[in-house]
């Protein structure tokens, strides 16, 4: 099939099924719930829905531990419910992109159940098993969620590899039979008519030869697994995937690739390359980490705007004409955009949410809106450990506070409140009624108490809401080649308060000005000569920028 690039003009809306809409009041979101809300997503104007995993799973990592790739998680409904959702989406002109989680399976998957039975089981080589070395783990790798990346299995006296929890054993992609299984399960969903895949940690599938020790940061217990990213056979595996499967379908593919550089992104998702369409990179998510590298991700540092600009600019410039950016502030693994990237999620919440939306949607790439972002939902602000459900957060607390004693309880609770994945996972806030209209039952994770002020109902009633602003941003992208294809240049990189850039396409220029502070600043970019396309205040054509003000001008 010829190279096609319809996905460049699209906007993606991410649905986290567990938290979106419950239809049977068991406290867990489900497929019929999603189907009932498709007209809402259509109203917003998004084109593609990225659906987090809905496959059968013991749910240790909220569906990223799959025990049957061709079955639906019973809590979410049935295959008939899935088919109905897909059909309804298509009838509304919406596409569905599924999550493909094939770096690892659940330990309850039948392949792993067989694999662990004996060394000569036909499924043994579906996973990565190694003998102990000097009576201990085969190397020093730490898992991303759970102590050592190796788990000893008494029955056969060997260790298996798990880069995530021990219930998520890594598949052995060196084994052609494993690859064949993956191609088959992809075909199963593509033949149903889905429109693409977001590929979970796809750059971890090729492990380095000989599985060498990783570098240890000062004082760290385990070596890092950074060396696993973008391994020596990744390109070959992606080429095979394209050859055997993707080339037969006109679909959108996004590779989640932690630890990647723009050069790697171009290698695996270069334009006209027929591998992936784009990658998810994490550089901007990692701005302002904890100065203590052992804590890295766990921090409560405000965002350094200059660093953020540098990272986003680096990607915009490097990929122009060579690759394609995925643009996002938030997803199910991150804090809420307005609570992390603006310093104010209360007094200036609405303005800040619109400002962030403007900053992101006017860049070159495909924007991803995470459920609730379009109404300005905020972090959960949990204060007690018992409020958390996320395995990454709970394991990190255990390891860093109780086992390693690197950080005290109060500090870690502050870090969790700022960075936990549960911030993104609290139920969608639909209305002012019981549990924000998410469920009549007991929600699996607490609803954010601010739902009586922040909800879809209130947004739809207010013509000045974040929702209608996002609707307009999406419309702009649909109607402007300048917004989609224009090149990018930052203006005044060292400005610590304002993020301004221009886009250019043919003879048109767009000027995008965003005040990231809660006070007035004065900046003159010649905006008085422009025509305002969108802004979050009534325009005064002034060089004064009000708190969190955004202005987008078409320059003459
Ligand atoms: C990335 C996913 O987005 C995250 O939610 C998950 O825990 C890990 N990959 C492991 O699958």
């Amino acid at each position: 099939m010829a190279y096609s690039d319809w996905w460049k003009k699209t906007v993606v809306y991410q649905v986290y099924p567990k938290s979106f809409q419950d239809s049977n009041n068991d406290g867990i979101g489900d497929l019929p719930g999603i189907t009932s809300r498709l007209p809402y997503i259509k109203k917003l104007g998004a084109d593609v829905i990225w659906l987090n995993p809905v496959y059968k799973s013991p749910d240790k990592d909220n569906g990223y531990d799959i025990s049957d790739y061709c079955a639906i998680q019973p809590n979410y409904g049935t295959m008939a419910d899935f088919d109905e959702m897909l059909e309804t989406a298509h009838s509304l002109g919406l596409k569905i992109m599924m999550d493909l989680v094939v770096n690892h399976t659940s330990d309850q998957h039948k392949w792993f159940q067989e694999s662990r039975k004996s060394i000569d089981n036909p499924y043994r080589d579906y996973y990565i098993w190694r003998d102990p070395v000097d009576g201990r783990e085969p190397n020093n790798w730490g898992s991303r969620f759970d102590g050592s990346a190796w788990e000893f299995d008494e029955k056969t006296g060997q260790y298996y590899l798990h880069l995530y929890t021990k219930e998520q054993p890594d598949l052995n992609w060196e084994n052609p039979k494993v690859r064949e299984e993956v191609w088959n399960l992809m075909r199963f969903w593509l033949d149903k008519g889905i429109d693409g895949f977001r590929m979970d940690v796809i750059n971890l599938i090729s492990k380095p030869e000989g599985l060498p020790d990783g570098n240890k940061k000062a004082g760290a217990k385990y070596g890092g697994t950074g060396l696993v990213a973008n391994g020596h056979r990744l390109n070959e595996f992606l080429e095979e995937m394209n050859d055997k499967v993707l080339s037969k379908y006109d679909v959108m593919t996004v590779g989640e690739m932690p630890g990647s550089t723009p050069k790697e992104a171009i290698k695996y998702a270069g334009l006209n390359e027929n591998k992936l369409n784009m990658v998810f990179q994490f550089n901007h998510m990692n701005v302002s980490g904890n100065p203590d590298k052992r804590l890295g991700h766990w921090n409560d540092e405000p965002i350094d705007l200059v660093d953020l600009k540098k990272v986003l600019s680096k990607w915009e410039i490097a990929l122009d004409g060579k690759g394609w950016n995925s643009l996002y502030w938030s997803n199910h693994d991150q804090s809420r955009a307005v609570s992390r990237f603006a310093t104010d999620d209360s007094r200036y919440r609405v303005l800040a949410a619109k400002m962030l939306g403007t900053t992101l949607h006017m860049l070159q790439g495909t924007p991803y809106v995470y459920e609730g972002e379009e109404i300005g939902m905020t972090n959960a602000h949990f204060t007690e450990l018992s409020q958390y459900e996320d395995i990454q957060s709970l394991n990190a607390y255990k390891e860093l506070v109780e086992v390693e004693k690197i950080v005290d309880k109060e500090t870690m609770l502050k870090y969790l409140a700022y960075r936990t994945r549960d911030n993104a996972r609290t139920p969608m806030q639909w209305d002012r009624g019981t549990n924000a209209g998410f469920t009549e039952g007991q929600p699996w994770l607490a609803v954010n108490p601010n739902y009586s002020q922040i909800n879809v109902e209130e947004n739809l009633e207010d013509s000045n809401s974040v929702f209608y602003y996002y609707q307009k941003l999406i419309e702009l992208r649909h109607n402007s080649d300048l917004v989609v294809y224009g090149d990018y240049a930052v203006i005044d990189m060292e400005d610590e308060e304002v993020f301004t850039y221009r886009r250019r396409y043919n003879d048109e220029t767009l000027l995008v000005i965003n005040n990231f502070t809660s006070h007035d600043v004065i900046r003159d970019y010649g905006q008085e000569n422009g025509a305002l396309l969108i802004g979050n205040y009534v325009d005064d054509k002034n060089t004064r920028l009000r708190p969190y003000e955004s202005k987008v001008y078409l320059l003459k």
Side-chain angles (χ1 to χ4, degrees):
M1 181 166 296
Y3 184 78
S4 108
D5 63 358
W6 53 265
W7 36 267
K8 283 187 183 167
K9 288 198 165 188
T10 61
V11 173
V12 180
Y13 186 86
Q14 186 186 345
V15 169
Y16 195 65
K18 202 166 177 176
S19 303
F20 197 55
Q21 178 67 70
D22 180 16
S23 73
N24 60 357
N25 296 325
D26 64 354
I28 298 171
D30 49 42
L31 291 167
I34 297 171
T35 306
S36 72
R37 295 296 187 177
L38 292 173
Y40 167 77
I41 300 172
K42 182 72 189 168
K43 185 178 171 79
L44 180 65
D47 312 275
V48 177
I49 293 171
W50 158 19
L51 194 66
N52 285 100
V54 291
Y55 315 96
K56 191 154 186 233
S57 160
D59 219 20
K60 292 279 178 201
D61 183 20
N62 283 8
Y64 283 92
D65 47 322
I66 296 170
S67 55
D68 186 344
Y69 288 97
C70 298
I72 297 291
Q73 172 74 346
N75 287 338
Y76 292 159
T78 61
M79 194 57 90
D81 293 328
F82 179 89
D83 293 340
E84 194 185 334
M85 182 202 63
L86 185 64
E87 205 185 308
T88 312
H90 284 168
S91 71
L92 290 168
L94 292 165
K95 295 181 186 285
I96 301 281
M97 178 165 75
M98 304 269 293
D99 220 306
L100 181 73
V101 189
V102 288
N103 174 68
H104 44 266
T105 67
S106 160
D107 63 349
Q108 301 305 307
H109 195 289
K110 77 167 191 296
W111 302 336
F112 190 74
Q113 295 288 307
E114 284 298 315
S115 184
R116 77 190 322 177
K117 279 185 183 161
S118 67
I119 286 184
D120 53 11
N121 187 284
Y123 287 90
R124 187 69 171 180
D125 276 350
Y126 270 45
Y127 295 87
I128 301 170
W129 292 94
R130 291 290 182 275
D131 284 328
V133 173
D134 299 332
R136 14 175 338 144
E137 292 83 5
N139 69 23
N140 72 359
W141 294 358
S143 116
R144 285 160 197 234
F145 290 172
D146 207 4
S148 165
W150 295 96
E151 182 71 11
F152 187 68
D153 207 39
E154 293 285 346
K155 181 136 197 239
T156 54
Q158 285 192 320
Y159 285 90
Y160 66 85
L161 180 69
H162 60 91
L163 293 178
Y164 290 87
T165 71
K166 60 180 184 313
E167 292 90 3
Q168 292 166 295
D170 278 52
L171 282 165
N172 174 19
W173 275 69
E174 303 284 327
N175 181 348
K177 281 195 218 144
V178 166
R179 303 204 293 278
E180 211 41 64
E181 299 272 15
V182 173
W183 313 152
N184 282 334
L185 73 91
M186 288 174 77
R187 287 185 197 111
F188 173 84
W189 291 100
L190 289 165
D191 289 342
K192 267 187 177 292
I194 66 153
D195 306 285
F197 285 116
R198 172 269 187 187
M199 304 184 186
D200 191 62
V201 290
I202 198 68
N203 66 332
L204 303 185
I205 58 178
S206 163
K207 315 299 192 251
E209 260 170 328
L211 310 183
D213 280 345
N215 285 334
K216 266 198 202 177
K217 288 182 183 148
K221 191 163 166 193
Y222 301 105
T225 49
L227 77 174
V228 181
N230 306 314
H232 63 298
R233 295 192 69 189
L234 177 60
N235 202 49
E236 177 196 334
F237 294 158
L238 292 179
E239 274 174 354
E240 188 177 318
M241 178 192 278
N242 185 66
D243 186 44
K244 296 270 171 74
V245 188
L246 294 173
S247 56
K248 320 271 192 286
Y249 305 84
D250 182 13
V251 291
M252 171 170 170
T253 54
V254 188
E256 190 201 26
M257 294 206 169
S260 293
T261 59
K263 206 168 150 205
E264 283 155 340
I266 292 167
K267 179 165 177 194
Y268 304 115
L271 296 180
N272 303 310
E273 280 262 350
N274 280 329
K275 268 172 273 174
L276 303 176
N277 297 147
M278 59 188 110
V279 309
F280 266 109
Q281 57 85 15
F282 289 84
N283 290 184
H284 64 302
M285 289 293 128
N286 298 332
V287 162
S288 309
N290 198 309
D292 181 340
K293 294 289 172 229
R294 294 168 305 172
L295 292 165
H297 172 86
W298 299 108
N299 69 80
D300 60 354
E301 302 281 321
I303 292 292
D304 180 317
L305 183 62
V306 175
D307 286 351
L308 180 69
K309 283 159 49 168
K310 284 187 178 153
V311 167
L312 289 174
S313 301
K314 175 176 91 180
W315 281 84
E316 284 286 298
I317 292 164
L319 264 53
D320 185 36
K322 301 197 180 89
W324 197 250
N325 275 294
S326 306
L327 307 169
Y328 70 97
W329 287 131
S330 178
N331 61 38
H332 64 291
D333 292 332
Q334 305 294 337
S335 314
R336 288 280 173 184
V338 72
S339 303
R340 174 125 196 263
F341 289 93
T343 37
D344 191 314
D345 72 2
S346 52
R347 180 165 171 217
Y348 289 116
R349 181 187 62 83
V350 169
L351 285 162
K354 292 176 182 175
M355 183 279 290
L356 289 171
T358 315
T359 308
L360 196 87
H361 283 247
M362 293 298 110
L363 290 170
Q364 190 192 74
T366 295
Y368 289 70
V369 179
Y370 180 67
E371 64 179 41
E373 182 184 325
E374 77 286 6
I375 56 165
M377 277 177 64
T378 70
N379 273 356
H381 301 298
F382 288 158
T383 52
E384 302 289 331
L385 193 64
S386 58
Q387 292 172 289
Y388 292 94
E389 286 287 336
D390 169 35
I391 191 159
Q392 179 193 32
S393 305
L394 295 172
N395 284 357
Y397 182 94
K398 204 182 327 147
E399 189 74 18
L400 300 171
V401 178
E402 290 167 2
V403 180
E404 295 289 305
K405 300 190 175 28
I406 296 175
V407 66
D408 62 73
K409 177 180 169 195
E410 271 65 43
T411 311
M412 190 63 190
L413 283 175
K414 267 198 297 171
Y415 292 167
L416 285 179
Y418 189 53
R419 294 295 274 121
T420 180
R421 309 195 293 182
D422 280 339
N423 280 323
R425 299 174 179 188
T426 61
M428 181 68 183
Q429 294 164 207
W430 293 106
D431 58 39
R432 304 174 179 99
T434 317
N435 295 320
F438 166 67
T439 183
E440 293 286 326
Q442 176 67 29
W444 72 275
L445 181 67
V447 176
N448 191 321
N450 65 19
Y451 78 87
S452 45
Q453 292 91 50
I454 305 171
N455 56 65
V456 169
E457 190 181 19
E458 161 268 325
N459 265 255
L460 294 182
E461 284 163 7
D462 174 6
S463 59
N464 210 13
S465 66
V466 182
F467 178 90
Y468 289 118
Y469 192 86
Y470 263 68
Q471 193 184 49
K472 200 164 166 202
L473 284 170
I474 295 172
E475 205 179 291
L476 264 178
R477 172 164 293 265
H478 285 153
N479 296 323
S480 165
D481 280 351
L482 170 60
V483 174
V484 177
Y485 301 110
D487 66 12
Y488 164 97
V490 70
I491 297 175
D492 197 358
M493 182 75 95
E494 298 305 322
D495 188 331
E496 292 170 0
E497 298 177 312
V498 184
F499 190 173
T500 300
Y501 57 85
R502 65 139 185 75
R503 307 279 313 281
R504 222 173 29 209
Y505 188 65
N506 296 332
D507 10 327
E508 288 189 320
T509 301
L510 200 66
L511 178 67
V512 185
I513 308 170
N514 303 291
N515 178 5
F516 268 70
T517 75
S518 54
H519 51 263
D520 283 7
V521 295
I522 307 289
R523 297 289 186 279
D524 187 356
Y525 308 102
Q527 58 264 44
E528 63 280 0
N529 299 318
L532 188 83
L533 285 190
I534 188 167
N536 57 356
Y537 281 84
V538 175
D539 190 27
D540 57 4
K541 284 266 180 182
N542 209 309
T543 50
R544 175 184 62 139
L545 300 174
R546 291 156 284 190
Y548 297 103
E549 180 157 15
S550 275
K551 303 171 179 219
V552 180
Y553 292 100
L554 192 59
L555 294 186
K556 297 187 190 113

